[in-house]
Amino acid sequence: LDGIPLDNSSTGGTGNPMNFLNPQDIESIDVLKDASATAIYGARGANGVILITTKKGKAGSSNLTLSSSVGISNIARPIPLFSADEFRKQVVALGGTLDDQKASTDWQKEISRTAITQDHNIAFSGGAEKLTFYGSVGVQNQEGVIKGSSLKRYTGRFNASQKFLEDRLSLDVNLTATQTVTNRPALDGVIGAALSANPTYPAYDANGEPARYQAFTNPLITLKLQKDITTINRVVASVSPSYKFNKDLVYKLNIGIDNASSNRDPQSLASAIPQQDGRLESTYNTNRNILVENYIT
């Protein structure tokens, strides 16, 4: 990212180390595949290298950009299951004992939702002959199609480039600061319970609350009792001075840091039906990489 190698470890277990980057800040993405192109990265470049370049200001123009979008998501292809009426027929046809609670529940529909994603960004850029700059702030709030799942991301970015000594000396500064908050319910247990639940059982009781049963655990109850919230703060920054001796000889020094910290908070809330003891945990992790390199081109 702008000359800073990123650590692929997913601090906090988010599964995607690129979650911190706002797509609105990306200017270009290049893929290096040849051995000669990836040789400078050593073993890390064995499977190729992806170069991400972010947007920068341009001399002679000032811009203020506002962007906002709203999207919706649904389950594309629910798994085909028996309806309540088909379930009743099949149980009887197979000689089973029908436990019929007179309802008609689509449990996949009950645990899912039409999810809304909101993305709002503001960016400013500009500069003169010797100085250019770019800054942005972004907020994304993405709901998952499973109830209770979500991703919230807050990003701030600033970079500047200054030239000195008749353009021989250049100084580039980059700073990205991000906070992501993810809420991941116990998807394995919820989805499995929804696929196997008796469709003749009602999802809610007379008070409009998720119904509680001794025969099985209502997956809506699991969604209320099990939570997994992870907050990750990440800062990627660099300072890169360079000096041009002549048109064919340039010395560059690159100093950068990639620092991430996370707090993961799994929660199991106490319950009588289904019987479950309450349990709260908190795990804190940090990951820091410092880069210092210099080269002549």
Side-chain angles (χ1 to χ4, degrees):
L1 174 65
D2 293 327
I4 302 298
L6 298 180
D7 191 340
N8 283 333
S9 64
S10 54
T11 300
T14 62
N16 183 358
M18 298 305 295
N19 268 347
F20 81 101
L21 189 60
N22 185 350
Q24 297 293 328
D25 289 334
I26 297 176
E27 179 71 28
S28 64
I29 298 177
D30 299 300
V31 179
L32 305 181
K33 296 183 293 183
D34 297 336
S36 58
T38 62
I40 61 175
Y41 297 96
R44 292 179 299 176
N47 294 321
V49 178
I50 297 176
L51 302 180
I52 301 174
T53 302
T54 59
K55 295 178 180 178
K56 294 177 173 58
K58 297 180 180 179
S61 64
S62 297
N63 296 284
L64 178 63
T65 305
L66 298 172
S67 65
S68 184
S69 64
V70 177
I72 59 173
S73 304
N74 287 293
I75 294 179
R77 292 184 295 273
I79 296 176
L81 300 173
F82 289 140
S83 66
D85 290 338
E86 292 170 333
F87 179 82
R88 295 181 179 100
K89 293 178 183 178
Q90 290 296 327
V91 171
V92 173
L94 293 173
T97 302
L98 178 61
D99 182 6
D100 191 352
Q101 298 298 315
K102 310 304 181 183
S104 181
T105 303
D106 183 342
W107 288 105
Q108 288 185 89
K109 185 176 180 179
E110 292 296 336
I111 66 168
S112 63
R113 63 183 174 186
T114 297
I116 299 175
T117 298
Q118 300 182 61
D119 198 354
H120 309 287
N121 298 276
I122 180 172
F124 57 91
S125 64
E129 182 180 356
K130 302 292 185 180
L131 172 66
T132 58
F133 60 87
Y134 174 90
S136 70
V137 176
V139 177
Q140 183 185 66
N141 186 358
Q142 180 177 6
E143 295 179 341
V145 293
I146 301 298
K147 291 178 178 178
S149 60
S150 65
L151 168 66
K152 296 180 180 179
R153 181 177 62 212
Y154 309 91
T155 62
R157 179 165 183 81
F158 178 79
N159 63 58
S161 180
Q162 175 74 61
K163 295 181 179 180
F164 308 91
L165 302 177
E166 299 180 345
D167 296 347
R168 287 183 175 275
L169 177 63
S170 298
L171 180 64
D172 296 320
V173 177
N174 288 277
L175 173 65
T176 300
T178 305
Q179 181 183 79
T180 57
V181 181
T182 57
N183 189 358
R184 297 172 295 168
L187 296 181
D188 293 343
V190 169
I191 295 175
L195 295 178
S196 60
N198 187 331
T200 70
Y201 275 64
Y204 298 92
D205 59 24
N207 297 320
E209 295 294 324
R212 299 176 183 269
Y213 301 107
Q214 296 288 351
F216 74 101
T217 300
N218 185 337
L220 295 174
I221 297 290
T222 303
L223 285 175
K224 293 184 65 175
L225 296 179
Q226 305 291 337
K227 301 180 184 297
D228 191 345
I229 302 171
T230 301
T231 300
I232 298 178
N233 298 304
R234 189 170 187 177
V235 174
V236 179
S238 67
V239 177
S240 303
S242 63
Y243 187 80
K244 184 177 181 180
F245 293 96
N246 55 52
K247 66 177 182 179
D248 298 319
L249 184 62
V250 178
Y251 170 79
K252 185 170 184 178
L253 173 65
N254 193 16
I255 303 173
I257 184 171
D258 178 6
N259 186 83
S261 63
S262 72
N263 187 68
R264 185 177 180 184
D265 187 17
Q267 303 176 14
S268 295
L269 306 183
S271 173
I273 302 176
Q275 197 285 322
Q276 175 176 292
D277 295 332
R279 179 174 59 87
L280 302 176
E281 296 181 8
S282 186
T283 304
Y284 181 78
N285 290 307
T286 60
N287 189 49
R288 177 179 299 164
N289 292 283
I290 298 175
L291 170 72
V292 179
E293 62 180 6
N294 62 90
Y295 49 88
I296 296 176
T297 59

